[in-house]
């Protein structure tokens, strides 16, 4: 309803300005300051002050007088406060809000008939996912969910680097070393099993004498050359390693959860010849130069001083060359292409976009969002044998800490609860993993994060458990009652009831805003929602309401709240527990 109300406000303002012979350019419609009691306000009087030659409050009064609220369904009344033209909602607005929010799909916007591919994570298949990269799958999955809720046809892709030197070293090591030469795996999963070969191979190359190292490097080079030449035997050798590691990495990512519709391999663009075609086309452009025994692109016209090498002296292509073919494939199959990248990839992203433009592509369809790193506080978690902290370590620790918090809260109640051991385990998983996701996705991506357990798992603060508890509370109320299909919204006249209706109405608009690759906007909404609902819960008894009509309307409001918070959490990829 908020989006419909905004559209009416913009139309009403435009008509009023027209009637006053004033320009309708920037209407200045925004959510007002806290001390302005309105749903939306316009600051257009500031813009017009110099043109009209009158004080902004006087202009605002003239505009308000020119608005005809009765012509609109959701505009109740219009007034001014200083320079602001204030718009208040009608009774029909509240009725429509409560009615539409009874739908379990509340917050999902109409289809835009636009396809979007979201590429995220894409960590090299050389071992378990590291915690430092955890922000990529969490942010990427949340962005995909935002776009899905906003009405886009979304596919989630993982781009697999299976043609670079790292993978060639991995393949050589896997074929060279024996099990008895390796330490025991840290977990019983393929990525933890095979990473031992990769680490052993790199250690061996660092320590081997020149003759042994040269022989190994020749074998590694032959694997890379075989891939470049389209040798099926080379593809099979590399695939045997990559596919096993990926299957293990998927296990970590699915715990978040972060699932993918497709794993697109680099080698696909070698096999089908599209990488070679890109090289040929780039050579023919005015930007191509041959320097230092390699073909490069001079992108200074795009403000990029560093040349982009797209073909080595030995005739092999590079990761970026194949990624150019990959992105042209995206453009052939999708309307928009979104990529989630670490901040250390900004230059490569700029070079890629410029090169795609050189090739004649419409690069307005390509969008990249960058994130900074996630750090753990000193002493926050242990590491093993210098291997760092894996994503699985973080999630295990989160669940263990959440379980202790749940058990402590149960013990403090000094009464029996109906929670079974299975319930406690479920809640610990939902809260623990939810805390990790929520804490990471709630921050603006460009800001570095130091993950702090006490903050993330605080049931009383603005954290995942604080918000999740609202959903559990809604479920607890509704479990004991039936909700009428038709209620009288006018009986909801308490300030806390009205405030809750208004925040529920804003949810679809928050989804729309978050679809600009900013899922943290929805996280901010969930905190605002939780605070508003808790105020309603404290001040407005539901099941014990004395009047039948009020009880029925409040139950409908609780059901609307449950749908709103469940879907807002779903946008963020955080589970909504039914009990806590």
């Amino acid at each position: 309803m908020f989006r419909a109300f905004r559209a009416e406000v913009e139309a009403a303002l435009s008509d009023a300005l027209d009637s006053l012979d004033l320009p309708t350019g920037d209407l200045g419609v925004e959510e007002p300051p806290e001390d302005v009691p309105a749903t939306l306000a316009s600051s257009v009087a500031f813009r017009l002050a110099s043109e009209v030659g009158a004080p902004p409050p006087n202009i605002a009064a003239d505009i308000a007088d020119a608005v005809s609220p009765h012509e609109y369904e959701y505009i109740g009344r219009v007034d001014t406060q200083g320079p602001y033209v204030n718009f208040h909602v009608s009774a029909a607005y509240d009725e429509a809000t409560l009615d539409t929010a009874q739908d379990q799909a509340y917050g999902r916007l109409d289809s835009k008939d636009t396809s979007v591919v979201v590429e995220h994570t894409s960590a090299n298949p050389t071992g378990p996912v590291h915690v430092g990269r955890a922000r990529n799958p969490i942010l990427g999955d949340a962005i995909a969910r935002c776009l899905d809720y906003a009405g886009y046809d979304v596919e989630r892709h993982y781009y697999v680097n299976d043609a670079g030197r790292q993978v060639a070293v991995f393949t050589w090591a896997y074929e060279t070393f024996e099990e008895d030469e390796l330490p025991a795996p840290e977990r019983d999963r393929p990525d933890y099993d095979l990473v031992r070969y990769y680490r052993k191979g790199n250690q061996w190359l660092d320590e081997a004498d020149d003759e042994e190292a040269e022989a190994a490097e020749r074998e590694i080079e032959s694997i890379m050359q075989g891939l470049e030449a389209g040798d099926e035997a080379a593809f099979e050798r590399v695939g045997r390693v990559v596919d096993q590691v990926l299957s293990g990495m998927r296990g970590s990512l699915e715990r978040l959860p972060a699932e993918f519709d497709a794993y697109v391999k680099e080698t696909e663009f070698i096999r089908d010849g599209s990488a070679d075609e890109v090289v040929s086309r780039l050579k023919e452009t005015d930007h191509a130069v041959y320097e230092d025994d390699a073909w490069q692109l001079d992108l200074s016209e795009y403000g990029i001083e560093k040349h982009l090498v797209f073909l080595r002296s030995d005739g092999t292509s590079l990761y970026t060359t194949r990624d150019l073919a990959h992105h042209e494939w995206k453009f052939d199959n999708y309307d928009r292409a979104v990529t989630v990248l670490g901040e250390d990839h900004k230059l490569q992203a700029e070079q890629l976009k410029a090169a795609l433009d050189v090739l004649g592509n419409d690069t307005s369809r390509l969008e990249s969002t960058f994130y900074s790193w996630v750090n753990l506080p000193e002493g926050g978690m242990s590491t093993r044998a210098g291997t760092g902290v894996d994503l699985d370590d973080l999630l295990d620790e989160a669940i263990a800490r959440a379980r202790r918090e749940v058990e402590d809260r149960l013990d403090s109640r000094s009464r029996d609860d109906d929670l079974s051991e299975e319930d406690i385990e479920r809640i610990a998983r939902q809260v623990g993993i939810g805390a990790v996701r929520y804490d990471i996705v709630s921050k603006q991506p460009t800001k570095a994060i130091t993950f702090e357990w006490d903050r993330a798992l605080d049931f009383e603060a603005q954290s995942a458990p604080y918000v999740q508890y609202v959903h559990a509370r809604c479920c607890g109320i509704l479990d004991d009652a039936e909700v009428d299909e038709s209620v009288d919204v006018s009986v909801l006249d308490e300030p806390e009831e009205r405030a809750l209706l208004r925040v529920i109405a804003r949810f679809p608009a928050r989804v729309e805003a978050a679809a600009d690759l900013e899922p943290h906007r929805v996280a901010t909404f969930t905190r605002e929602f939780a605070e508003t609902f808790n105020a309603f819960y404290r001040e407005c008894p539901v099941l014990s309401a004395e009047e039948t009509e009020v009880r029925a309307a409040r139950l409908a409001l609780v059901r609307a709240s449950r749908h709103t918070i469940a879907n807002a959490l779903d946008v963020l990829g955080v589970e909504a527990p039914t009990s806590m």
Side-chain angles (χ1 to χ4, degrees):
M1 286 307 102
F2 184 78
R3 296 164 66 238
F5 177 65
R6 177 187 284 275
E8 288 191 354
V9 167
E10 290 173 348
L13 265 177
S14 184
D15 289 345
L17 292 171
D18 268 340
S19 71
L20 296 170
D21 292 326
L22 295 174
T24 60
D26 180 8
L27 298 175
V29 176
E30 59 194 27
E31 294 186 38
E34 289 185 6
D35 61 340
V36 177
T39 302
L40 282 173
S42 170
S43 59
V44 68
F46 284 113
R47 175 175 65 84
L48 297 173
S50 59
E51 185 170 341
V52 175
N58 293 0
I59 299 171
D62 290 340
I63 295 172
D65 288 341
V67 173
S68 301
H70 62 275
E71 295 180 3
Y72 300 92
E73 183 177 7
Y74 299 132
I75 299 176
R77 61 186 174 87
V78 181
D79 59 24
T80 64
Q81 184 168 330
Y84 289 98
V85 182
N86 300 326
F87 292 83
H88 305 263
V89 298
S90 66
Y93 178 87
D94 289 334
E95 291 172 5
T97 295
L98 192 58
D99 181 57
T100 56
Q102 299 304 304
D103 187 343
Q104 285 189 335
Y106 181 62
R108 285 193 174 274
L109 308 186
D110 293 338
S111 173
K112 291 180 170 54
D113 195 28
T114 301
S115 60
V116 185
V117 56
V118 179
E119 177 197 332
H120 68 84
T121 307
S122 300
N124 288 337
T126 53
V129 181
H130 189 271
V131 71
R133 295 285 179 177
R135 201 168 190 177
N136 198 313
I138 291 173
L139 176 61
D141 185 69
I143 284 173
R145 288 168 178 268
C146 284
L147 290 166
D148 179 50
Y149 264 79
Y152 293 94
D153 181 12
V154 179
E155 282 197 18
R156 301 153 174 85
H157 285 192
Y158 188 120
Y159 186 51
V160 183
N161 180 354
D162 64 337
R165 173 180 165 79
Q166 286 180 312
V167 171
V169 169
F170 203 161
T171 302
W172 161 78
Y174 182 67
E175 296 173 347
T176 299
F177 299 103
E178 300 295 335
E179 173 68 29
D180 59 9
E181 300 177 77
L182 307 171
E186 293 166 359
R187 292 176 188 259
D188 183 19
R189 219 173 59 197
D191 48 340
Y192 288 90
D193 180 18
L194 268 70
V195 72
R196 300 175 300 153
Y197 294 91
Y198 182 65
R199 291 171 182 159
K200 176 69 175 180
N202 280 293
Q203 179 186 5
W204 188 92
L205 289 172
D206 287 340
E207 298 173 355
D209 61 40
D210 290 346
E211 185 176 344
E212 289 177 320
E214 286 176 7
E217 288 293 348
R218 284 195 296 272
E219 179 59 22
I220 292 166
E221 182 65 24
S222 74
I223 294 171
M224 296 177 64
Q225 290 284 359
L227 294 175
E228 196 74 26
D231 177 20
E232 285 299 325
F235 289 137
E236 288 179 12
R237 292 170 68 186
V238 168
R240 188 178 306 117
V241 174
V242 167
D243 290 346
Q244 288 186 75
V245 176
L246 276 177
S247 71
M249 295 172 76
R250 279 200 294 271
S252 296
L253 296 170
E254 286 169 1
R255 296 180 70 188
L256 284 171
E259 298 181 355
F260 296 88
D261 298 299
Y263 287 78
V264 181
K265 292 184 175 179
E266 240 186 305
T267 49
E268 294 177 27
F269 304 100
I270 297 174
R271 288 183 181 221
D272 67 6
S274 57
D276 286 340
E277 183 189 356
V278 163
V279 168
S280 298
R281 288 160 58 204
L282 288 175
K283 284 182 178 180
E284 294 173 1
T285 69
D286 294 337
H287 297 268
V289 294
Y290 190 78
E291 293 179 357
D292 300 324
D293 296 324
W295 280 98
Q296 307 178 35
L297 280 187
D298 180 349
L299 300 173
S300 55
E301 181 182 309
Y302 295 87
I304 302 171
E305 295 307 315
K306 185 175 181 179
H307 285 191
L308 173 65
V309 178
F310 63 89
L311 193 67
R312 298 187 185 92
S313 57
D314 62 2
T316 57
S317 59
L318 289 89
Y319 176 88
T320 305
T321 322
R322 299 183 286 274
D323 204 19
L324 286 168
H326 173 215
H327 275 78
E328 290 199 317
W329 172 80
K330 288 183 185 180
F331 292 156
D332 286 342
N333 291 280
Y334 304 93
D335 299 314
R336 291 173 60 190
V338 174
T339 311
V340 181
L341 298 164
E343 60 185 3
D344 56 333
H345 285 78
K346 283 185 177 179
L347 174 60
Q348 294 96 312
E350 290 172 359
Q351 290 177 317
L352 177 76
K353 191 167 188 175
L356 286 167
D357 187 72
V358 168
L359 289 167
N361 295 282
D362 175 10
T363 56
S364 66
R365 298 163 59 194
L366 175 61
E367 304 162 72
S368 297
T369 188
F370 299 93
Y371 63 90
S372 190
W373 309 119
V374 175
N375 303 302
L376 293 174
E378 288 297 324
M381 291 180 60
S382 62
T383 61
R384 292 187 295 268
T387 61
V389 178
D390 296 319
L391 176 60
D392 285 309
D393 298 330
L394 179 67
L395 299 182
D396 286 349
E397 183 76 7
I399 293 170
R401 286 177 181 253
R403 183 185 178 90
R404 289 197 294 271
E405 178 67 25
V406 171
E407 290 174 339
D408 288 346
R409 290 171 72 86
L410 287 174
D411 291 342
S412 69
R413 292 176 183 175
S414 66
R415 64 175 177 83
D416 292 333
D417 275 270
D418 293 332
L419 293 180
S420 65
E421 178 63 26
E422 185 178 341
D423 288 330
I424 293 173
E425 189 62 32
R426 169 185 58 80
I427 293 169
R429 179 184 56 79
Q430 291 175 323
V431 170
I433 293 179
V436 171
R437 275 195 74 123
Y438 189 90
D439 197 66
I440 289 175
V441 81
S442 64
K443 310 298 191 305
Q444 292 188 31
T446 52
K447 293 184 178 179
I449 294 176
T450 297
F451 188 83
E452 297 175 3
W453 291 109
D454 290 344
R455 180 193 64 216
L457 287 167
D458 191 339
F459 278 65
E460 309 301 330
Q462 293 183 341
S463 59
Y466 175 74
V467 176
Q468 288 172 310
Y469 197 79
V470 169
H471 183 265
R473 178 164 277 164
C474 289
C475 292
I477 294 170
L478 295 170
D479 281 347
D480 297 326
E482 291 186 8
V483 183
D484 293 341
E485 293 303 318
S486 178
V487 298
D488 182 2
V489 180
S490 67
V491 302
L492 298 175
D493 55 7
E494 294 293 335
E496 294 80 10
E497 294 167 331
R498 293 293 175 184
L500 185 54
L501 270 172
R502 304 293 156 69
V503 76
I504 288 170
R506 282 180 165 87
F507 176 45
R510 293 295 186 267
V511 169
E512 186 174 51
D516 288 336
L517 313 186
E518 295 183 329
H520 65 275
R521 290 176 177 267
V522 175
T524 300
F525 170 82
T526 64
R527 291 195 292 265
E528 176 190 356
F529 180 90
E531 290 173 355
T532 308
F533 181 88
N534 287 336
F536 159 78
Y537 183 79
R538 285 193 304 269
E539 302 298 329
C540 303
V542 180
L543 297 176
S544 61
E546 294 181 0
E547 298 179 27
T548 303
E549 294 83 357
V550 172
R551 181 180 186 275
R554 287 179 180 173
L555 279 169
L557 186 54
V558 171
R559 182 163 67 177
S561 296
R562 182 180 66 181
H563 295 161
T564 301
I565 198 61
N567 291 339
L569 287 171
D570 189 47
V571 170
L572 302 175
V574 175
E575 286 196 63
T578 56
S579 62
M580 285 179 69

